[in-house]
Amino acid sequence: MKKTYINGVGCISTQKTFDTVFLEEAIPHTDETVLTVISPVYKDYISPAASRRMAKGVKNGIVASALALKDANVENIDAIITGTGLGCIEDSEKFLKNILDNNEEFLTPTSFIQSTHNTVGAQIALTLQCKGYNFTYVNGVVSFESALLDAKMQIEEDEANSILVGGIDETGDYTISLFKLAGRVKDESNLTSNILNSKTSGAIYGEGASFFVLENEKKESTYAEILDVAIINTLDPNEVETEIVAFLKANNLQISNIDALILGFNGNVDSDIYYKDIAKNAFAATPQLYYKHLSGEYDTASAFALWMASKVIKTQEIPEIIKANSVEKPVYNTILLYNQLNGKNHSFTLISK
C-alpha cells in the first residue's frame, strides 16, 4: 500500500498565516466572540470581475488551495476533496433574505447557485481545469477528517497520485445570531484571557480555509506522512483514553511515542472536560498544544490544526502562543490531533515525520 505524504500546505485564517514566518504574527483573541479572516490580496489570485460574485469562503478556498499547490510545486492534481460544515452560508442567507424581502418574486439566481456546499471545490476545479474526482463532505465537525480519509484511501489503493484536500467554513451574521441564541457562542461578558481556564459555556467562533496537497511520493517539500485518521461519533469522557490507546496500538505505537498532542480546547467548560481528562492523566508527560484561541471554533477548525502540526514537524519549533503545558521534547516526529464538538464527533489524526 502506498504511503500518504503532505507535500504542500496553504492556510487562510483569522491569523496572518500566509506571507509570514510560522505564527510569528499570531495574536490570541480575548476580546471578541466572533472572529473574521485576515484577507489576502484576492486580486493576486482571482480576477476582480470573478471575485465580485464570490462569497468569502469561496475566495479563501481558492487562495488557500493556490498557496498549497505553489508550496508543493504542483500544477496538476488527480482529485479535489473538500470538507465543510456550513458551506457557503453567507450566500444561503442572502438568498433566503431575498425570498422574504421580495415576496418570493423577481429573484436573481446568483446567490442560490453560489450557496451550495460544493461551490468551493467546483470553483477550484474550474480555476485549475481539473476534470478528475471532485467530492465535498458535509459531516459537521468531522467534514475535514472525512475528506482526509477519502484521499488517504485513494492514494493507498493507487487510484490517485496527487490530491488536493481542504476544509473551509465561513461565518454568516444570521447563523451566528442563531448560534448565540442556542448558547453556542460565548457571551461577551464571559470572555476570558485564556480559554484553557474558562469556567463558562459557549465558544469563540471563527472561520477559515486550509488546504493540503497529498501525494504518494516523498519530495523536498514534504512536511509529514499521514499515518491514520479515525472518527467516532459518541464517547464518554472516561472512554477517550481507551480509544486513543487502541488507535495508537493499531499503528504500532503507544502514548510514550507521541511527541506532541494537539487538542481542540475552545473554552466551553461543558465539553473541554474531554481534553482536560487526558491532558491531566494519560498525556501529562507529553507536550500539549491548542489552537482555537487563534482560529476560533468552526466545523473544519481541525484543518487549521493539521496545518499547524505539519509546520511543527517541518520547522521542529513550537511557538509559545500554542503551548498548553510546559513539557518539551528534543524532537517532534509524531503528532496526534484530537478534536470534538460538544462531546460528539470525535476525531483522531496521526502524522509523523
Side-chain angles (χ1 to χ4, degrees):
M1 263 195 320
K2 294 275 179 82
K3 291 182 173 182
T4 308
Y5 298 101
I6 299 172
N7 285 347
V9 301
C11 179
I12 303 296
S13 70
T14 56
Q15 299 292 336
K16 188 90 168 20
T17 43
F18 54 94
D19 299 339
T20 181
V21 178
F22 177 41
L23 293 180
E24 189 180 58
E25 297 175 41
I27 309 157
H29 296 283
T30 53
D31 54 355
E32 297 166 276
T33 56
V34 181
L35 318 174
T36 51
V37 293
I38 293 176
S39 304
V41 181
Y42 293 122
K43 68 177 190 320
D44 292 351
Y45 302 89
I46 312 161
S47 76
S51 179
R52 267 202 311 275
R53 291 193 297 275
M54 289 177 183
K56 60 183 172 182
V58 179
K59 291 192 280 195
N60 292 331
I62 289 173
V63 176
S65 64
L67 291 171
L69 290 164
K70 188 183 174 190
D71 193 26
N73 201 13
V74 165
E75 283 180 14
N76 301 315
I77 43 174
D78 302 327
I80 298 167
I81 309 175
T82 51
T84 179
L86 295 173
C88 301
I89 196 73
E90 253 192 351
D91 273 319
S92 303
E93 288 181 7
K94 221 180 274 180
F95 184 69
L96 293 171
K97 188 176 183 299
N98 284 342
I99 289 177
L100 296 172
D101 292 350
N102 296 315
N103 205 20
E104 300 184 21
E105 296 175 330
F106 317 119
L107 296 171
T108 53
T110 314
S111 293
F112 175 69
I113 294 162
Q114 298 271 33
S115 70
T116 58
H117 290 73
N118 55 3
T119 304
V120 183
Q123 288 288 0
I124 292 168
L126 286 168
T127 309
L128 298 174
Q129 287 299 299
C130 172
K131 298 178 176 69
Y133 178 88
N134 194 321
F135 205 86
T136 298
Y137 284 90
V138 188
N139 292 357
V141 77
V142 289
S143 300
F144 174 67
E145 284 77 3
S146 304
L148 206 54
L149 209 47
D150 185 352
K152 189 174 184 298
M153 285 159 68
Q154 290 206 38
I155 286 174
E156 280 176 357
E157 298 302 323
D158 220 2
E159 286 180 27
N161 299 325
S162 150
I163 301 179
L164 186 64
V165 181
I168 318 100
D169 271 297
E170 60 183 26
T171 52
D173 294 341
Y174 185 68
T175 305
I176 288 292
S177 70
L178 295 178
F179 282 179
K180 283 180 177 173
L181 282 173
R184 279 191 178 198
V185 180
K186 261 205 193 316
D187 193 278
E188 288 186 1
S189 59
N190 289 339
L191 284 169
T192 169
S193 60
N194 187 340
I195 62 169
L196 295 176
N197 306 326
S198 173
K199 302 280 189 291
T200 55
S201 60
I204 294 168
Y205 265 73
E207 57 185 358
S210 302
F211 271 81
F212 306 85
V213 174
L214 304 186
E215 295 185 292
N216 57 7
E217 284 179 9
K218 214 160 150 183
K219 290 179 171 177
E220 263 182 48
S221 65
T222 299
Y223 282 78
E225 181 193 341
I226 296 179
L227 295 179
D228 204 358
V229 182
I231 297 166
I232 299 160
N233 183 247
T234 48
L235 286 175
D236 287 329
N238 57 359
E239 294 174 324
V240 175
E241 187 183 330
T242 313
E243 286 297 338
I244 288 178
V245 169
F247 175 68
L248 293 176
K249 193 178 176 189
N251 290 283
N252 301 318
L253 294 169
Q254 47 198 34
I255 287 172
S256 58
N257 299 123
I258 300 301
D259 299 317
L261 173 69
I262 300 185
L263 297 166
F265 283 108
N266 67 3
N268 182 350
V269 71
D270 306 322
S271 59
D272 275 356
I273 185 167
Y274 282 91
Y275 305 124
K276 283 184 172 159
D277 280 4
I278 58 163
K280 208 165 57 198
N281 303 313
F283 287 92
T286 307
Q288 294 163 17
L289 320 181
Y290 69 128
Y291 58 96
K292 286 178 186 169
H293 59 311
L294 303 180
S295 69
E297 176 66 272
Y298 54 99
D299 284 328
T300 51
S302 53
F304 179 88
L306 184 62
W307 170 84
M308 205 171 85
S310 306
K311 288 280 193 182
V312 167
I313 285 183
K314 191 160 190 175
T315 62
Q316 287 296 305
E317 282 175 23
I318 296 181
E320 208 61 43
I321 197 164
I322 55 173
K323 290 181 180 175
N325 67 0
S326 55
V327 182
E328 290 186 357
K329 285 211 173 178
V331 287
Y332 300 99
N333 289 336
T334 308
I335 297 181
L336 174 67
L337 292 81
Y338 168 41
N339 188 47
Q340 49 82 27
L341 183 63
N342 302 328
K344 296 263 166 58
N345 290 325
H346 304 258
S347 66
F348 306 117
T349 307
L350 191 60
I351 67 170
S352 82
K353 192 173 170 66

